[in-house]
Amino acid sequence: MSRFVYLIREALSSLRRNALIVIGAIMAVFISLALAFGAQVVNELLKLNTRAWQDGTHVVAFLYDEGTDNVPPGAHEQLLAEVRSWEEVEDARLVTKAEAWQEFQRIFENDPQMLDALRDPTVLPASIRIELEDIRLHQTTRYRLEQQQQVVRRVNTASQSIEQLQNLSDVLQILGLGLAVVLGVAAVVLIANTIQLAIYARREEVAIMKLVGASNWYIRVPFLLEGLIEGLVGAALAVFAVWIASNNLAKAGESLELFRLDISNQWFFRSGLVVLVFGAAAGVLGSLLGLSRYLREADGTGPDIPKGF
Amino acid sequence: MIRLENVTKVYEGGTVAVNDVSLDIQKGEFVFLVGASGSGKSTLIRLMLRDEPVTRGRIWVAGKDITKLPKWKIPYLRRSVGTVFQDYKLLPNKTVFENVAFALEVLGRPRSVIGPQVNQVLELVGLADKSQRYPRQLSGGEQQRVSVARAFVNRPPIMLCDEPTGNLDPKTSVEIMRLLDRINRTGTTIVMATHDHAIVDAMKRRVVALEHGRVIRDEVAGRYERTSEEE
């Protein structure tokens, strides 16, 4: 226990002594992770918005009336059951002629002219409203419905723009993930570099430690703790900065009706934890990489004691 | 206590630093390794500390063949061998007390043991009153005494000293030698590389003279000068 306390004390005192290098490492992690986390926030906003626009009906199949046009009674329900069995269909419901009229009346309740114009409510067809698992599958559903010529009068599908938005969102998500990976690697490399600088500045010290019999792990632990603390502090600053920026963005976007700019605190908490863990891991990994050069030659071929005989 | 059997060390580039050296050093002996610069004294010390691997031959330290020691066991070897160097090798950001205590911290000794043990050895080297000073606040002789205290605090059976008086004036050198002599009298084996004629002549201990990496003389109660006479 006293040994562990000693190693922590060593790490903290080293952080104090090498303040400038430490600040450099923290800034490196902060910038990399703030950019990576920011990219994730933009992605989440895109996802939220595309999801909001996609909610509801994606495909509408207008049907011929039952009992006429060679459509036997019960054909609508039969088709509904079949549609529901298709794997790409999330949900489907039948809107009868009567319900269609009620819907029409609800939509145009403030427009008596429209209501007057529709003299015969029976002209409104029954329909099946379909919600898809993935909006990009609407062509498949359309094709399947069009095969049901006897029952299906016309098929309307979600506009191409939503599909394009979905594609754009996917591309941005991949880009965001790529960016996060690249910036994450950059954070590790920057920490490794910084730790290597710190070790270079203290190479004599490391050599003396080895001389009196300190094991590689004994030398390593304070540096690993340093890296861990630098990574954690940098990541915490990044999460905090992005959270503040996102909150301000949400406030500024309150008046916008078309877009949602507010992300739940729950998402922030979950993703923030991931960023913190990543920051800590990047710190430890960076330290290990930075140290490996100095410690791998512990069998006595390393640059320990100045050579000369 | 230490045994070298046909030890050869060739550095990269082909420089032969130690050439077929065989030596037997008994427990409690005080042995001077003497010779001009480049004769192989320091390399021999480094080989005994496994700071360099041998090219050929075998070395036993405290009954263990250290030429076959796996990497992870090297720290254990170094914990049983105290080392003193010409440039003191003290940690500049630690006080005298902390520098000496460091050798025990590495072993995982509890604080309750470290404190008394460090104070005791600081008394021995005459630096008890300067325990809270930093190395930069001490003279060369005092820094070397801290280094000796650090090497001895763990009561190792062997101490390897590489030119411990190389940076000191004659008077301070005598102080350090008195200290090493006291430590030797406790039963600690001491091997010291030096080219300080006066010290070797005054101490009258075993002298192993080296030239171009070879042992050219091994004499009980020897003198430094005889090296050149025998050539």
Side-chain angles (χ1 to χ4, degrees):
Chain A
M1 185 62 192
S2 72
R3 200 172 189 185
F4 186 66
V5 173
Y6 175 80
L7 291 174
I8 289 181
R9 255 193 304 127
E10 281 294 293
L12 291 177
S13 110
S14 166
L15 285 171
R16 258 200 319 275
R17 274 188 285 127
N18 304 300
L20 209 61
I21 290 177
V22 169
I23 290 170
I26 290 175
M27 288 308 289
V29 179
F30 166 66
I31 292 167
S32 307
L33 292 187
L35 287 170
F37 192 37
Q40 289 305 306
V41 167
V42 171
N43 256 332
E44 180 63 14
L45 283 174
L46 268 169
K47 241 194 276 179
L48 277 177
N49 284 290
T50 47
R51 207 180 298 144
W53 294 336
Q54 284 172 22
D55 275 351
T57 304
H58 301 139
V59 179
V60 183
F62 294 102
L63 310 174
Y64 288 117
D65 295 345
E66 282 179 344
T68 59
D69 308 321
N70 301 323
V71 180
H76 290 178
E77 283 294 343
Q78 208 179 332
L79 179 61
L80 178 68
E82 191 183 338
V83 168
R84 278 181 174 160
S85 71
W86 296 342
E87 66 272 15
E88 76 271 20
V89 172
E90 168 84 33
D91 192 24
R93 67 189 171 90
L94 179 66
V95 177
T96 61
K97 288 173 73 73
E99 285 165 346
W101 171 233
Q102 282 169 7
E103 188 183 49
F104 184 85
Q105 284 177 312
R106 200 171 54 247
I107 294 169
F108 296 105
E109 63 185 348
N110 299 324
D111 195 345
Q113 272 183 326
M114 273 299 282
L115 292 172
D116 283 348
L118 192 73
R119 299 250 170 88
D120 180 10
T122 59
V123 298
L124 289 174
S127 60
I128 292 178
R129 313 275 170 96
I130 302 165
E131 194 181 328
L132 298 172
E133 293 264 6
D134 183 343
I135 198 162
R136 279 165 297 193
L137 297 170
H138 69 91
Q139 293 290 8
T140 314
T141 314
R142 169 188 277 273
Y143 177 76
R144 284 178 156 181
L145 286 167
E146 281 171 354
Q147 301 304 304
Q148 311 281 336
Q149 286 170 350
Q150 277 193 318
V151 191
V152 177
R153 186 199 298 248
R154 202 178 75 237
V155 181
N156 275 3
T157 59
S159 68
Q160 264 194 325
S161 55
I162 287 187
E163 192 184 345
Q164 282 168 351
L165 191 71
Q166 180 67 50
N167 286 335
L168 179 70
S169 166
D170 284 357
V171 169
L172 285 174
Q173 267 186 54
I174 292 165
L175 277 179
L177 195 69
L179 191 68
V181 169
V182 169
L183 291 168
V185 171
V188 172
V189 172
L190 283 167
I191 290 180
N193 238 336
T194 313
I195 293 280
Q196 215 164 41
L197 268 179
I199 297 167
Y200 186 77
R202 290 161 60 188
R203 61 194 184 285
E204 278 288 311
E205 207 174 314
V206 170
I208 294 167
M209 286 178 177
K210 286 171 78 175
L211 200 65
V212 298
S215 65
N216 278 355
W217 273 108
Y218 192 88
I219 297 167
R220 222 175 251 147
V221 169
F223 283 109
L224 292 186
L225 285 173
E226 261 186 74
L228 179 81
I229 293 168
E230 287 166 0
L232 267 178
V233 172
L237 287 175
V239 170
F240 185 67
V242 173
W243 182 67
I244 294 280
S246 170
N247 269 358
N248 283 333
L249 188 71
K251 266 183 209 155
E254 266 171 2
S255 56
L256 295 173
E257 284 179 7
L258 204 55
F259 293 99
R260 275 188 66 186
L261 294 177
D262 56 314
I263 293 178
S264 70
N265 279 335
Q266 202 190 359
W267 184 89
F268 255 107
F269 182 73
R270 260 188 294 119
S271 309
L273 267 184
V274 173
V275 174
L276 284 180
V277 169
F278 183 85
V284 171
L285 189 65
S287 298
L288 278 176
L289 287 175
L291 275 166
S292 61
R293 213 188 116 207
Y294 284 91
L295 294 181
R296 69 172 164 244
E297 289 144 335
D299 59 343
T301 54
D304 275 6
I305 303 161
K307 287 190 168 65
F309 51 89
Chain B
M1 185 54 74
I2 300 174
R3 184 177 157 83
L4 284 80
E5 200 178 84
N6 307 109
V7 172
T8 297
K9 174 66 189 178
V10 183
Y11 281 111
E12 274 177 44
T15 312
V16 182
V18 173
N19 195 352
D20 199 28
V21 168
S22 294
L23 269 181
D24 254 320
I25 297 169
Q26 302 302 314
K27 186 176 185 300
E29 263 196 292
F30 196 125
V31 180
F32 286 114
L33 298 177
V34 300
S37 293
S39 60
K41 309 185 295 288
S42 295
T43 300
L44 220 45
I45 296 274
R46 290 162 65 91
L47 292 176
M48 287 187 250
L49 201 53
R50 247 310 280 276
D51 193 44
E52 290 283 355
V54 294
T55 308
R56 276 188 299 278
R58 292 167 85 177
I59 300 176
W60 285 268
V61 174
K64 281 183 187 140
D65 182 354
I66 65 161
T67 50
K68 289 182 177 162
L69 209 60
K71 277 183 190 181
W72 64 273
K73 276 192 177 171
I74 292 172
Y76 295 98
L77 164 73
R78 292 182 182 168
R79 288 172 203 178
S80 61
V81 179
T83 45
V84 181
F85 287 86
Q86 183 174 359
D87 56 354
Y88 326 129
K89 296 201 184 296
L90 298 176
L91 296 164
N93 54 297
K94 287 188 188 292
T95 63
V96 167
F97 183 94
E98 288 167 341
N99 261 288
V100 179
F102 185 70
L104 296 174
E105 302 270 11
V106 162
L107 295 176
R109 295 270 194 276
R111 303 204 126 211
S112 56
V113 170
I114 292 174
Q117 216 166 321
V118 172
N119 286 329
Q120 197 185 358
V121 81
L122 285 179
E123 282 286 348
L124 175 77
V125 300
L127 285 174
D129 56 331
K130 293 183 176 171
S131 66
Q132 293 313 310
R133 298 224 182 145
Y134 285 90
R136 62 178 176 278
Q137 297 169 315
L138 302 177
S139 68
E142 287 170 331
Q143 288 190 56
Q144 194 59 294
R145 278 194 273 159
V146 178
S147 175
V148 171
R150 184 184 60 193
F152 188 60
V153 70
N154 184 32
R155 302 288 191 275
I158 299 166
M159 266 175 74
L160 301 176
C161 311
D162 192 3
E163 308 271 8
T165 58
N167 279 352
L168 306 175
D169 59 66
K171 188 171 166 267
T172 318
S173 296
V174 170
E175 280 174 22
I176 294 296
M177 289 316 297
R178 277 196 190 129
L179 198 54
L180 290 176
D181 188 43
R182 276 182 73 183
I183 289 171
N184 176 238
R185 284 173 201 283
T186 66
T188 304
T189 308
I190 295 183
V191 180
M192 175 173 155
T194 185
H195 47 237
D196 191 325
H197 295 228
I199 283 173
V200 176
D201 292 348
M203 297 277 288
K204 294 191 177 62
R205 299 298 181 98
R206 181 177 170 188
V207 174
V208 174
L210 293 161
E211 197 176 79
H212 303 306
R214 287 182 179 276
V215 175
I216 54 163
R217 182 165 58 97
D218 186 348
E219 226 176 28
V220 179
R223 290 175 62 85
Y224 196 103
E225 292 296 330
R226 297 267 293 276
T227 310
S228 51
E229 284 168 19
E230 284 185 5
E231 275 180 343

